[in-house]
Every structure is written in structure tokens, then in C-alpha cells.
Amino acid sequence: MSSLSTSTPGVSYLNYQFRCIGCGHTTETAAQDFRCANCGDLLEITYPYWKEAKLDGAQVKFVWQDRKISTSAVDLSGVWRFRDVLPVIEREEQAITLLEGNTPVYELPRCSIITGVTRLFAKHQGMNPTGSFKDTGMTVAATFARMSGFRWVACASTGNTSASMAAYAARGGMRSLVLVPEGKISWSKLSQSLDYGAVTCQLRTDFDGCLKLLQELVRKAPVYQLNSINPFRLEGQKTLAFELMEQFEWQPPDHIIVPGGNLGNSSAIGKALVEMRELGLISRLPKLSIIQAEGANALVRTLRETGGKQLISVPAETRATAIRIGNPASWKKAIHVLEATGGACEQVSEVEIAQAKAEIGAEGIGCEPASAVTLAGLKKLVKRKFVKPDETVVLVLTGNLLKDPDFTIDFHRGDMFADNATPGLNPLRHPPIVLDASLDAVMRTLEQAEHS
Ligand code: F0G
């Protein structure tokens, strides 16, 4: 199979297979539900030819770096730039790209003081074109949807997947169908899928109900499923880790911490880390830890109560609506990456999430509530001595602050928790102040603020 124009010696003839994560059965094609025809478990994409390819690590790192100064869209995309480790497309024009990826790594000096972790960073996936990490997976999966000849793509979502899917479908000339739980996702996210032209259905159920229905739909109608059950999504999301290692000059941090919802992203990042070590691009694995909201803690309970053997579904409830998921589809993949990297799994309360979000905001960065579980979780992992103060830690911030303004406004106005229940949060609150339009009033406010 031919590769793209900027070829990489040694890996230019890559191809992929689907492998069942349950029974190991491999196939060249997958059914629309992306489940194994033998045992019904999820599929992952593998690259059996890597072993023969004898990748030259130094050379491929150079090629990835070199593509940054190219002018072609696939080189400027922070996902397709790493196409040597992705399923191959035959022509560059086939890629549906919004120049996703290329997200910044920020130091977090104030959160560093709060946690005692001296080298603390945030990889901000909220800086993607539609404001969340979903774009990195969507560019790959939408591309393969169009290459397979689909006119319709569809997803169930807590809001970010749908925003991203709708955008990439629009860019690629496809129609999109969105299934979201009515009243349980942020209006900002919903507004994106409306603007990008999706048929947006607010279903009277939760996310898990939407996903179940979607899986029935794709067996009956010619629509291509773009949830993270689709392994092409995870291949794209995988590039976060490649980009991060490049930003760290291929010296892996000790810990990477991600939020856990449907558990696709943690699975993708973990897969990337294992692949990078197999390919000789890094010499050791960072520990990948997953943090959930207490009210949506299916993975935490699955590990605690069954040792990871059987999924414990929970009725999910959290104001971090992006991760309001009780029956995570990729739980087995996530457990596998926790084991492979030696990572931990934690849960955090609503108050801890709100506090951490305000602390990240105070760095001048901001993120959506689901992303803030990473900082809240880090505090717990430090307390457990799982993370040591002299280790390097990267928090993956999955969504932009502007994704959920209601949460932020309720927090700062003091409308979020019962009165007096959280006095410790008051120093973090910056409510808007309504004043007469007089110089005097503004001067007085300035003075009060100076002395507070
Ligand atoms: N953070 C944000 C901002 C998310 O939108 C999601 C998931 C997650 C974290 C969790 O990632 O599901 O891969 O474990 N959002 C999905 C959606 C479910 O529909 O937008 P995960």
C-alpha cells in the first residue's frame, strides 16, 4: 500500500488490522458496530508490519519535526503529521482536517505550589479547533467514514464528541446525526452541533441510553458510528501522546493524568505509550492514571469490587457533564492500560472538581469541569504517595473553559453549593460586580480589591 508524500524510511508500507481485545481474533474489515464477530468484544487497530519495518527512531522523529515547516494540510495537522503510526490513507486530499492537534503544554506554577509537585504541566487539548480533544480522533475516523463511502455519520455524546463530529462531517461533505441526553449537556456544546448542521436529537434518557440506541441504529441504517467504540477515533486520539513526548524531547514524564468517562481517551493514550516503547521512541513508560467523578465512578468501583474482572455500571450524576457516564464502553481497554503502565484510578467529589477548576482558571488557562478532575485527582495521588513531589506530572486538560460557562458562572456567583457549605472555596470566587456607572464606585471597588 502506498504512503503519503513525505515518506518515512522503514515505515512507509504500514498497514493495519482489527484485533479483538477479548479473544484476539484478527480481521481486515470490521462491522459497523466495531465489535468482534466471534465474541462481541471491542476491536482495536494493530500494525502487524511494524515488527518487520525496523523503524529508525531518530529518523522518524526528524521527519515528524520537519513536517512542521511544510505547507501541506496533512503536515500542518498535529494528527496526520504522525501518520506513520496511523492507518494509512492513499492520498493526502482524503484527510478531513481542521488542522487539529498542535496543542500547547503549559507549566502550572500555582497548582505546583498547591500540590507540592514541582514539575507540573498541562497538555491543553481544549485548544483544538472545536475546543476539545475529540478533534484528534475525529479527523481520522471521519476520514475513514468518507473513504468507506458513507453519507451519514452518527454519535451519542455528552456534547464534545457531537460538536467535533458535526464539524468534521460538515468539512467532509457528510450529514451527521447527533444523539444527546436531553437537558444534561452544556448549551455551548449543543450550539456547536446546531451551527455545523447536524441533525441534533435530544433524547429523554442519559448518555448510556443514547449510546445503546446508537448501537442498535448502526445495525439497521447505513450510518457510520463515530463514538470511541470506533477504533479509528482512538488511533487519532493516540497522537496526543506522540506530540506530548515530542514536546518533552522524548524524555517521558513520570505521570500522565486523564479524566475518565467512556474511557476511550485513556485507552488511546495508553496504547500510544505502549506502542512508542515498542517502536523504541521512548525508553520507559509514564504511569497513566485515570480520574473519575465520584458520581460517575464505574471504573473505580469495577477495580475495587471485582478487581477489574467485571464492569460495575452506576447511575451517573455529576455537574462535570462531559463524564456523566455510568456504563463506560472501553472499560476493558482502560484496565489494560492501567496495568500496562502501572497507573492508578481515583475519584473526586463535586467540591474538589469545582475547586480544581478554579485553581486551573487562576493560572490564566481555564478548562471545562471534566478536565479539572485531573488536578483534583493529582492532589489525592500525592496524598497516597503514588505521585512524589520530585516527579514530573502532566495533566491532560480535555476541554476548553468556554465549553461550559454555566458551571463557571454558578461557581463564581456562589450558586453551586449550599450556602456556607464550602467557605474554603470563597477566596477562589470572583463574582461579577454590578455598579453605578461612576468613577467613584469603580475606584472604591478597585481599592477594596487591592486590600482583599
Ligand atoms: N473530558 C471531556 C471534556 C470529555 O468531553 C470527555 C468525554 C472526557 C473527558 C472523557 O473521555 O469518554 O474518552 O473517557 N466526552 C464524550 C462526549 C463522552 O460525548 O463528548 P472518555
Side-chain angles (χ1 to χ4, degrees):
M1 183 172 285
S2 67
S3 177
L4 297 177
S5 68
T6 321
S7 65
T8 312
V11 291
S12 55
Y13 57 93
L14 283 186
N15 205 342
Y16 62 91
Q17 281 184 342
F18 298 99
R19 184 173 62 198
C20 171
I21 61 160
C23 68
H25 180 67
T26 57
T27 50
E28 302 295 323
T29 55
Q32 248 317 282
D33 59 0
F34 293 106
R35 289 192 176 272
C36 174
N38 287 351
C39 74
D41 223 325
L42 292 183
L43 303 179
E44 65 178 355
I45 287 176
T46 59
Y47 303 88
Y49 307 103
W50 278 3
K51 281 211 165 61
E52 303 152 33
K54 294 202 183 58
L55 182 87
D56 179 337
Q59 206 159 7
V60 80
K61 287 173 187 174
F62 174 80
V63 169
W64 290 339
Q65 192 68 30
D66 199 42
R67 284 176 184 157
K68 285 184 179 176
I69 52 168
S70 153
T71 52
S72 96
V74 284
D75 284 344
L76 291 173
S77 159
V79 171
W80 293 105
R81 192 159 71 79
F82 298 101
R83 56 190 173 269
D84 314 275
V85 290
L86 295 176
V88 168
I89 56 175
E90 286 176 23
R91 285 175 291 110
E92 292 183 0
E93 315 79 74
Q94 288 173 320
I96 305 171
T97 176
L98 287 161
L99 308 187
E100 51 291 314
N102 298 313
T103 59
V105 171
Y106 297 119
E107 278 184 65
L108 298 177
R110 296 178 198 193
C111 295
S112 176
I113 292 168
I114 293 166
T115 56
V117 173
T118 41
R119 287 193 305 279
L120 179 57
F121 301 88
K123 171 80 172 152
H124 207 327
Q125 294 297 92
M127 301 300 179
N128 269 294
T130 76
S132 86
F133 71 98
K134 305 290 182 180
D135 296 341
T136 56
M138 209 52 79
T139 182
V140 175
T143 294
F144 278 85
R146 189 171 66 176
M147 276 165 45
S148 311
F150 281 87
R151 235 167 52 74
W152 278 91
V153 293
C155 73
S157 182
T158 55
N160 280 328
T161 299
S162 45
S164 182
M165 179 190 77
Y168 281 83
R171 296 296 297 174
M174 291 179 288
R175 304 286 315 273
S176 62
L177 174 74
V178 161
L179 306 182
V180 290
E182 200 227 340
K184 289 165 193 144
I185 76 164
S186 125
W187 285 110
S188 303
K189 298 175 187 178
L190 193 73
S191 70
Q192 290 182 284
S193 68
L194 304 183
D195 224 32
Y196 303 140
V199 175
T200 303
C201 305
Q202 297 177 279
L203 303 187
R204 292 188 197 91
T205 179
D206 54 12
F207 168 82
D208 302 295
C210 292
L211 187 56
K212 192 161 168 278
L213 206 144
L214 178 75
Q215 290 187 269
E216 287 166 24
L217 178 78
V218 296
R219 286 191 211 109
K220 297 239 156 75
V223 295
Y224 187 86
Q225 182 188 176
L226 281 177
N227 273 93
S228 57
I229 289 171
N230 180 327
F232 290 104
R233 281 266 318 274
L234 301 195
E235 289 309 290
Q237 283 173 215
K238 196 175 82 170
T239 57
L240 176 156
F242 284 84
E243 186 175 270
L244 178 68
M245 292 307 139
E246 186 184 61
Q247 286 164 316
F248 274 80
E249 295 179 337
W250 303 98
Q251 300 301 315
D254 299 293
H255 296 272
I256 300 176
I257 303 183
V258 286
N262 213 20
L263 300 174
N265 202 31
S266 38
S267 304
I269 296 169
K271 182 176 191 279
L273 296 173
V274 171
E275 286 179 358
M276 276 187 272
R277 197 183 49 178
E278 274 172 21
L279 291 169
L281 299 175
I282 53 173
S283 54
R284 64 183 175 82
L285 288 180
K287 293 187 171 76
L288 181 73
S289 293
I290 303 173
I291 316 294
Q292 295 196 300
E294 269 177 15
N297 61 353
L299 184 66
V300 175
R301 288 194 50 192
T302 296
L303 288 164
R304 277 190 196 157
E305 295 168 33
T306 76
K309 301 235 162 9
Q310 211 168 357
L311 177 66
I312 307 247
S313 302
V314 298
E317 193 47 79
T318 170
R319 273 211 65 166
T321 51
I323 50 172
R324 194 176 181 281
I325 293 171
N327 190 28
S330 294
W331 66 278
K332 275 192 198 165
K333 289 186 180 179
I335 286 175
H336 178 71
V337 302
L338 285 177
E339 284 169 1
T341 69
C345 184
E346 258 299 348
Q347 59 181 346
V348 292
S349 71
E350 296 295 294
V351 172
E352 288 165 338
I353 294 170
Q355 175 167 357
K357 185 175 128 46
E359 288 164 348
I360 293 166
E363 296 270 15
I365 295 174
C367 63
E368 71 164 283
S371 310
V373 302
T374 54
L375 177 62
L378 171 63
K379 292 177 193 170
K380 293 201 156 167
L381 296 178
V382 170
K383 209 175 262 174
R384 268 169 59 177
K385 298 198 181 356
F386 182 79
V387 173
K388 319 254 173 350
D390 61 347
E391 290 183 315
T392 304
V393 178
V394 177
L395 309 179
V396 177
L397 302 183
T398 44
N400 195 286
L401 168 77
L402 298 175
K403 284 285 195 172
D404 193 350
D406 286 353
F407 184 104
T408 310
I409 290 165
D410 283 357
F411 174 80
H412 286 288
R413 280 196 181 143
D415 295 341
M416 186 170 284
F417 302 110
D419 265 359
N420 303 325
T422 54
L425 298 186
N426 287 341
L428 288 166
R429 290 196 167 106
H430 308 289
I433 305 161
V434 180
L435 296 175
D436 286 335
S438 77
L439 184 60
D440 202 36
V442 176
M443 289 289 283
R444 235 179 306 123
T445 305
L446 190 61
E447 267 162 41
Q448 277 166 9
E450 174 68 20
H451 296 113
S452 66

